[in-house]
């Protein structure tokens, strides 16, 4: 168990700045996701924490000890790779035992730890087999068991579920959460899949263009994105951004009035698609529906609000025809207001 | 379309099969027959002549010694070279290109290159003389200097034949995803442990191919030896050549050819058994 302090880490590959000064503190036992699109620098950051890559500047402390310059094995961590990296020429048992063997653990301890990790991941039945004979999901279990068998202070996971098919991913996600809660290991989890990050994490760090845009609990990040990027990246459908005129510190949406943190000019409304309620037109924002898609669990509407593209979600019980205009009442507690110039959101109203 | 005309693939393959059959299998059968017959009747006379010849023992010994000296060094060198370029980011292709130059040279030409270095008036003697290490031209390649001759031939063979081994090894190394080595590193394996416990087992197929190919070629060594040592260093193929051309005794030459084939096959079988490749244990 260990806490991690990432202090102003920068990384350049030639002229390209992959990380532009990243700082993040992770508490002991916490599960933090680094979430961002591919190429944002999240994997680079993870590899720097692991010691597989060197940072250009900055400091990383694991358990209050700076690990800069230390080889991976002296950092007290384990890692699960995107393509599992389960050794094909060793049995599942030897794979899980690998870290312990490298630590020169005696056979009794190896056996005990392997059995414990295998039990946690439900792979006891495959211990004698070679990974080649296992499915992707089973290999992933072996990779996680190998990491947990050494009882690492920190567990690093690099897109561990992205090679699995959708159904298996959901299943493994739930199981990972259970297993990691039980193990209580400090975990850093890299993913580009926001549902994975939302479902698993205690906190999410949204990485964009070599910087952390926001750190917060899944609910905070979802409801009150710090920037336009975060709102657009998290949530499916993504947050709608509607530029609206401000008069005397207020924005009018039909007959609804909202006090906003600006006096005049324009402001951007960040609107989560599922926070609206159907209302008579003219009462809130009117939406011209281009396509209505009944999804079973809900009704997805795609169209425009004030001439700007928008997607909203209504209960499955509603019926809307393509081309219809529907009125949408807004919930003042669930709106985010952003500066149109900087794309940064204003603090949530108290 | 392929379903309606299933014979098409066979028809397309047929010419190559016929070609190989005519130019390989027929001569092979003829050679074997030539070796084990005398005037059209089965006989071991050629074998007896071959075995009782003065040069037979020496040529077997020389060929095996050369193979035993050259192949392991080539494998180790190729592994080292492959591992070194694997760490490079830029210039890797250029280095590989330079390293593979000997591949483009015929073995006789390679022998001549090394002859120009090692002969009495060669570059080696010039350098040694220039540095004051020797007082007059020294002969390296005579029957009186068997060790120097052997080393000279071995060096020329290593120079000539390492590239092909390296290409196979590099191809094998390229197939090992870097995550395997990184995972091993994370879990505390030292560079040497990573090499012996992860890399080597994972390049087994390449290692096996390289060993088989290189060993078979080593048993067939001829032109380099001929250029450097002439008849001072008899080897199996050289003896076959002499019986064929100098002695005009095709039967004994065929016996040598069959012997080389048998040795090559045996070596291949040993490698298949010892460096076993279990498809279950590959990525």
């Amino acid at each position: 168990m260990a806490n991690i302090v990432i202090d102003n880490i920068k990384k350049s590959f030639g002229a390209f700045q992959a990380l532009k000064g990243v700082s993040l503190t992770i508490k002991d036992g916490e599960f933090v996701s680094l979430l961002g699109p591919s190429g944002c620098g999240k994997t680079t950051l993870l590899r720097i924490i692991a010691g597989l890559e060197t940072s250009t500047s900055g400091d990383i402390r694991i358990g209050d000890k700076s690990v800069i310059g230390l080889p991976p094995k002296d950092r007290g961590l384990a890692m699960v790779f995107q393509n599992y990296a389960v050794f094909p020429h060793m049995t599942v048992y030897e794979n899980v035992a690998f870290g312990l063997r490298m630590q020169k653990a005696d056979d009794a301890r190896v056996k005990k730890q392997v059995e414990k990790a295998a039990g946690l991941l439900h792979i006891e039945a495959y211990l004698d087999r070679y990974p080649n004979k296992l499915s992707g999901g089973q290999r992933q279990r072996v990779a996680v068991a190998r990491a947990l068998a050494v009882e690492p202070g920190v567990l690093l996971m690099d897109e561990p579920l992205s090679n699995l098919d959708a159904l298996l991913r959901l299943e493994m996600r739930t199981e990972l959460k259970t297993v990691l809660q039980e193990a209580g290991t400090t975990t850093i989890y890299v993913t580009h899949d926001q549902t994975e990050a939302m479902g698993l994490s205690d906190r999410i760090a949204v990485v964009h263009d070599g910087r952390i845009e926001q750190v917060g609990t899944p609910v905070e990040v979802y409801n009150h994105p710090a920037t336009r990027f975060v709102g657009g990246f998290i949530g499916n459908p993504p947050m709608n951004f509607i530029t609206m005129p401000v008069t005397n510190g207020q924005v009018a949406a039909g007959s609804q009035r909202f006090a906003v943190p600006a006096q005049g000019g324009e402001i951007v409304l960040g609107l989560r698609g599922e926070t609206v309620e159907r209302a008579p037109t003219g009462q809130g924002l009117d939406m011209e529906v281009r396509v209505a898609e009944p999804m079973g669990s809900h009704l997805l509407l795609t169209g425009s609000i004030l001439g700007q593209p928008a997607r909203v979600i209504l209960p499955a019980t509603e019926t809307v025809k393509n081309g219809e205009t529907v009125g949408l009442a807004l919930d003042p507690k669930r709106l985010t207001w952003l500066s149109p110039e900087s794309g940064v959101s204003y603090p949530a109203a108290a | 379309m392929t379903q309606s005309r299933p014979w098409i693939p066979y028809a397309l393959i047929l010419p190559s099969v016929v070609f190989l059959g005519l130019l390989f299998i027929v001569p092979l059968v003829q050679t074997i027959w030539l070796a084990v017959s005398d005037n059209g009747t089965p006989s071991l006379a050629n074998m007896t002549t071959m075995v009782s010849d003065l040069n037979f023992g020496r040529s077997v010994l020389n060929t095996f010694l050369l193979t035993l000296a050259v192949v392991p060094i080539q494998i180790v060198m190729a592994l080292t070279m492959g591992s070194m370029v694997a760490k490079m980011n830029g210039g890797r292709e250029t280095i590989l290109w330079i390293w593979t130059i000997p591949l483009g040279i015929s073995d006789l030409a390679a022998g001549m290159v090394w002859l120009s270095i090692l002969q009495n008036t060669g570059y080696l003697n010039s350098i040694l003389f220039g540095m004051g290490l020797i007082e007059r031209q020294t002969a390296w390649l005579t029957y009186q200097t068997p060790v120097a001759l052997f080393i000279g031939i071995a060096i020329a063979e290593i120079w000539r034949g390492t590239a092909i081994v390296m290409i196979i090894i590099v191809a094998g190394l390229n197939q090992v995803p870097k995550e395997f080595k990184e995972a091993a590193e994370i879990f505390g394996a030292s560079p040497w442990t990573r090499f012996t416990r992860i890399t080597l087992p994972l390049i087994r197929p390449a290692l096996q191919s390289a060993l088989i190919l290189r060993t078979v070629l080593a048993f067939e060594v001829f032109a380099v030896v001929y250029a450097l040592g002439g008849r001072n260093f008899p080897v199996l193929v050289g003896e076959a050549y002499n019986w064929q051309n100098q002695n005009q005794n095709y039967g004994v030459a065929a016996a040598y050819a069959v012997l080389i084939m048998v040795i090559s096959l045996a070596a291949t079988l040993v490698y298949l058994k010892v460096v076993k490749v279990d498809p279950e244990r590959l990525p």
Side-chain angles (χ1 to χ4, degrees):
Chain A
M1 312 297 122
N3 63 321
I4 303 166
V5 178
I6 298 163
D7 188 5
N8 200 22
I9 285 290
K10 291 181 185 167
K11 173 70 181 178
S12 306
F13 294 102
F16 173 67
Q17 266 194 297
L19 295 172
K20 300 171 180 169
V22 173
S23 297
L24 179 65
T25 303
I26 298 161
K27 293 190 286 281
D28 186 13
E30 198 178 17
F31 190 120
V32 172
S33 289
L34 302 176
L35 172 66
S38 49
C40 72
K42 57 191 192 299
T43 295
T44 305
L45 180 59
L46 192 79
R47 290 172 59 83
I48 288 173
I49 298 169
L52 294 171
E53 199 93 63
T54 54
S55 54
T56 310
S57 69
D59 192 19
I60 292 175
R61 294 185 289 283
I62 297 178
D64 297 325
K65 187 180 80 170
S66 176
V67 295
I68 295 293
L70 289 184
K73 69 179 170 71
D74 294 335
R75 299 185 176 205
L77 45 79
M79 186 160 167
V80 176
F81 291 80
Q82 182 171 6
N83 63 0
Y84 326 131
V86 169
F87 305 128
H89 59 293
M90 297 180 194
T91 60
V92 170
Y93 185 97
E94 281 308 320
N95 264 287
V96 178
F98 188 82
L100 297 155
R101 297 260 192 243
M102 290 301 120
Q103 295 172 1
K104 310 240 183 308
D106 59 70
D107 282 349
R109 181 170 140 75
V110 169
K111 189 165 188 292
K112 182 175 145 263
Q113 289 295 98
V114 170
E115 277 167 4
K116 191 171 149 197
L120 215 49
L121 273 303
H122 308 295
I123 51 169
E124 300 102 318
Y126 323 126
L127 283 175
D128 296 332
R129 292 204 212 160
Y130 285 93
N132 211 341
K133 286 278 189 282
L134 303 181
S135 69
Q138 288 165 336
R139 280 187 222 186
Q140 192 53 270
R141 283 164 196 271
V142 176
V144 176
R146 178 175 65 184
L148 291 179
V150 294
E151 296 189 338
V154 175
L155 178 61
L156 306 177
M157 302 182 105
D158 184 10
E159 308 247 6
L161 303 182
S162 61
N163 282 9
L164 303 178
D165 62 64
L167 205 63
L168 202 56
R169 204 180 306 156
L170 190 67
E171 194 183 299
M172 272 303 284
R173 197 170 82 203
T174 317
E175 201 167 314
L176 262 186
K177 188 157 188 170
T178 321
V179 168
L180 293 175
Q181 261 167 5
E182 211 166 312
T185 313
T186 312
T187 305
I188 304 181
Y189 187 98
V190 161
T191 182
H192 66 268
D193 181 335
Q194 42 109 7
T195 55
E196 255 172 49
M198 297 282 293
L200 288 166
S201 318
D202 296 322
R203 285 191 302 152
I204 296 175
V206 183
V207 187
H208 175 48
D209 198 19
R211 288 194 178 86
I212 291 185
E213 297 247 328
Q214 184 174 11
V215 187
T217 65
V219 174
E220 280 167 10
V221 172
Y222 185 83
N223 285 340
H224 294 290
T227 62
R228 193 171 172 139
F229 171 80
V230 175
F233 190 71
I234 291 184
N236 185 21
M239 185 174 250
N240 299 294
F241 297 102
I242 300 153
T243 307
M244 301 175 84
V246 183
T247 28
N248 299 325
Q250 282 200 325
V251 163
S255 57
Q256 287 186 294
R257 295 279 183 281
F258 304 98
V260 295
Q263 278 308 304
E266 288 184 324
I267 196 163
V268 176
L269 165 64
L271 179 67
R272 284 285 176 205
E274 73 284 4
T275 62
V276 297
E277 260 180 59
R278 191 164 187 184
T281 51
Q283 191 178 315
L285 287 173
D286 289 348
M287 176 175 184
E288 287 165 33
V289 177
R290 194 153 46 84
V291 185
E293 294 166 272
M295 308 301 286
S297 60
H298 59 269
L299 178 67
L300 176 64
L301 304 180
T302 306
S304 59
I305 295 172
L306 299 175
Q308 298 162 57
R311 274 213 173 104
V312 303
I313 286 170
L314 291 181
T317 47
E318 297 283 347
T319 47
V320 175
K321 286 195 289 291
N322 292 353
E324 196 180 335
T325 299
V326 292
L328 303 170
L330 309 182
D331 178 351
K333 289 197 287 291
R334 303 190 67 183
L335 304 178
T336 301
W337 301 100
L338 306 98
S339 154
E341 291 85 26
S342 65
V344 173
S345 70
Y346 294 103
Chain B
M1 210 174 96
T2 41
Q3 275 174 350
S4 60
R5 288 183 222 162
W7 50 267
I8 284 186
Y10 297 96
L12 291 173
I13 287 167
L14 190 67
S16 64
V17 174
V18 171
F19 182 79
L20 272 177
L22 284 177
L23 289 173
F24 179 73
I25 296 172
V26 171
L28 176 73
V29 171
Q30 282 179 338
T31 305
I32 293 174
W33 175 244
L34 201 57
V36 296
S37 67
D38 192 17
N39 288 324
T41 53
S43 154
L44 289 177
N46 290 324
M47 296 286 177
T48 318
T49 315
M50 172 178 81
V51 172
S52 53
D53 182 65
L54 194 63
N55 271 345
F56 175 75
R58 283 181 65 200
S59 65
V60 171
L61 184 70
N62 284 342
T63 307
F64 271 90
L65 280 180
L66 203 55
T67 304
L68 282 174
V70 165
V71 174
I73 291 175
Q74 286 183 325
I75 296 287
V76 171
M77 279 180 68
L79 281 169
T80 313
M81 292 157 93
S83 304
M84 287 194 303
V85 288
K87 292 256 165 27
M88 299 177 70
N89 295 319
R92 187 168 174 269
E93 309 305 318
T94 314
I95 299 274
L96 284 176
W97 188 83
I98 292 171
W99 277 348
T100 46
I101 285 176
L103 261 189
I105 296 172
S106 83
D107 47 357
L108 187 61
M112 302 313 269
V113 167
W114 282 89
L115 184 66
S116 70
I117 296 172
L118 298 173
Q119 68 187 348
N120 291 5
T121 54
Y123 295 110
L124 179 67
N125 276 341
S126 305
I127 291 171
L128 291 177
F129 184 76
M131 291 168 70
L133 292 170
I134 51 173
E135 287 172 2
R136 68 184 83 82
Q137 282 178 3
T138 307
W140 303 104
L141 304 173
T142 69
Y143 67 97
Q144 289 154 312
T145 57
V147 176
L149 177 60
F150 179 81
I151 291 174
I153 290 172
I155 288 174
E157 267 297 288
I158 290 166
W159 178 81
R160 189 185 68 82
T162 304
I164 183 77
V165 182
M166 190 198 65
I167 286 175
I168 298 171
I169 300 270
V170 165
L173 287 170
N174 283 345
Q175 300 237 308
V176 178
K178 75 174 191 325
E179 283 82 0
F180 286 138
K181 279 174 262 179
E182 288 181 349
E185 190 181 352
I186 290 274
F187 289 106
S190 65
W192 179 249
T193 310
R194 294 203 288 276
F195 180 73
T196 53
R197 300 232 10 216
I198 308 294
T199 307
L200 270 188
L202 290 177
I203 61 164
R204 264 179 114 93
L207 215 50
Q208 190 193 54
S209 308
L211 275 169
I212 291 175
L213 185 69
R214 196 57 204 99
T215 305
V216 168
L217 288 175
F219 282 125
E220 292 172 3
V221 67
F222 173 55
V224 169
V225 174
Y226 205 69
L228 289 178
R231 298 199 69 176
N232 291 334
F233 193 86
V235 287
L236 288 171
V237 178
E239 288 311 298
Y241 173 82
N242 288 334
W243 281 97
Q244 176 90 11
N245 286 308
Q246 255 89 45
N247 305 353
Q248 300 278 316
N249 189 331
Y250 304 136
V252 180
Y256 270 104
V258 170
L259 176 68
I260 294 162
M261 189 185 74
V262 169
I263 292 172
S264 297
L265 278 176
T268 304
L269 287 175
V270 168
Y271 284 134
L272 286 176
K273 196 83 187 161
V274 174
V275 193
K276 211 158 71 186
V277 175
D278 183 351
E280 199 177 286
R281 302 185 193 183
L282 291 177

